[in-house]
Amino acid sequence: MNSSVIEAKSLTKAFGTTTALAGVDLTVQRGESVAIMGASGSGKTTLLHVLAGITAPDAGRVLFSPVTGPAADVTTMNERDRSRLRRESFGFVFQQGLLIPELTAIENIALALMINATPRRTAIERAAGWMASLGLAGFEDRRIGELSGGQAQRVAIARSQVTGAELVFADEPTGALDSQTSADVMSALLWSTTGQGRTLIVVTHDADVASRCSRTVHVRDGRITAAAGAQA
Ligand SMILES: Nc1ncnc2c1ncn2[C@@H]1O[C@H](COP(=O)(O)OP(=O)(O)O)[C@@H](O)[C@H]1O
Ligand SMILES: [Mg+2]
């Protein structure tokens, strides 16, 4: 399928006198995996947050086209709709999983469904399914501190996917992992997203991670400097 899932136009964002985004245009097609690379401070995280409706840009627009229903501008919808979009249509994976240490692995995943009003039992069942798919069967009742870094990131991936999110944003998801674990986590992330017809936008410093994506864009001083073509 060749239809855009998210389309950013002329995005700008400043924090005080710092220009984080200096006019970014980016279109991502459904089913793509796009790596965003660039030096520290180049604006990658800001771009991800603006695309995901976490941060409002100073100017520009972000058009999200869901599988069903009309396209909507993430930057102008009201906060309630934007919040629902983030909960239901978008998934997030961060460098440190940002998991809740007091909850078990399975509860962390199920919580993403329960805040969308899914009954606990159904949520736990679906969470267990994702854990099994990501090689985490048997770890359901571990607390986050009792998991390895790679296992914790797979819990974070399951959490980002259990809602059926069609667009997943990952910000340096392998940044804290060794290279073998990083490769495994990237496999899990790709299998869960593009492997299911979903779309992945991943910020990374790691050329190995980027090379596994269908496309890489480079950000420098708040601008996209080059967009490499689709890789084999
Ligand atoms: N909340 C913020 N307040 C002030 N400055 C910020 C904030 N977020 C980002 N910046 C600045 O914007 C620039 C881009 O930051 P960021 O998007 O986090 O870059 P990257 O993720 O590529 O390292 C940096 O100069 C950073 O210091
Ligand atoms: Mg960053």
Side-chain angles (χ1 to χ4, degrees):
M1 232 191 314
N2 200 34
S3 60
S4 72
V5 59
I6 206 155
E7 196 178 335
K9 280 255 191 303
S10 311
L11 293 177
T12 61
K13 178 71 182 177
F15 295 103
T17 57
T18 303
T19 301
L21 298 179
V24 170
D25 296 292
L26 179 66
T27 299
V28 176
Q29 307 294 332
R30 195 175 304 288
E32 268 196 300
S33 49
V34 177
I36 300 176
M37 297 193 81
S40 182
S42 58
K44 305 180 299 294
T45 293
T46 304
L47 175 58
L48 206 69
H49 287 182
V50 169
L51 292 176
I54 294 170
T55 299
D58 295 334
R61 64 188 192 110
V62 176
L63 202 64
F64 171 63
S65 304
V67 174
T68 55
D73 187 341
V74 174
T75 64
T76 57
M77 65 176 59
N78 68 43
E79 188 48 44
R80 195 164 135 263
D81 289 345
R82 191 162 34 232
S83 173
R84 167 152 14 108
L85 196 68
R86 288 192 302 257
R87 285 198 315 270
E88 295 180 356
S89 300
F90 296 166
F92 298 93
V93 181
F94 301 98
Q95 177 172 346
Q96 313 287 353
L98 296 187
L99 299 162
I100 300 171
E102 289 83 3
L103 300 182
T104 62
I106 198 166
E107 287 169 341
N108 265 277
I109 300 164
L111 186 63
L113 283 169
M114 291 193 285
I115 60 174
N116 287 343
T118 303
R120 182 184 169 90
R121 199 180 144 161
T122 310
I124 292 283
E125 272 169 21
R126 287 201 210 146
W130 273 98
M131 288 191 76
S133 299
L134 293 177
L136 290 168
F139 293 90
E140 290 82 358
D141 296 329
R142 296 264 188 113
R143 285 181 206 279
I144 302 310
E146 298 166 345
L147 299 173
S148 71
Q151 288 166 343
Q153 279 307 62
R154 279 184 277 149
V155 170
I157 291 167
R159 182 194 54 185
S160 77
Q161 289 304 316
V162 72
T163 55
E166 55 181 289
L167 177 55
V168 174
F169 297 95
D171 195 350
E172 306 200 21
T174 64
L177 304 176
D178 64 69
S179 59
Q180 181 57 54
T181 308
S182 167
D184 294 344
V185 165
M186 195 56 194
S187 296
L189 188 56
L190 286 168
W191 177 84
S192 312
T193 53
T194 56
Q196 318 292 318
R198 296 171 179 153
T199 308
L200 174 66
I201 302 178
V202 55
V203 166
T204 185
H205 270 114
D206 185 337
D208 290 336
V209 167
S211 72
R212 298 182 59 187
C213 293
S214 52
R215 182 158 67 101
T216 299
V217 298
H218 295 272
V219 178
R220 185 174 175 184
D221 298 334
R223 289 177 205 278
I224 289 179
T225 56
Q231 290 149 2

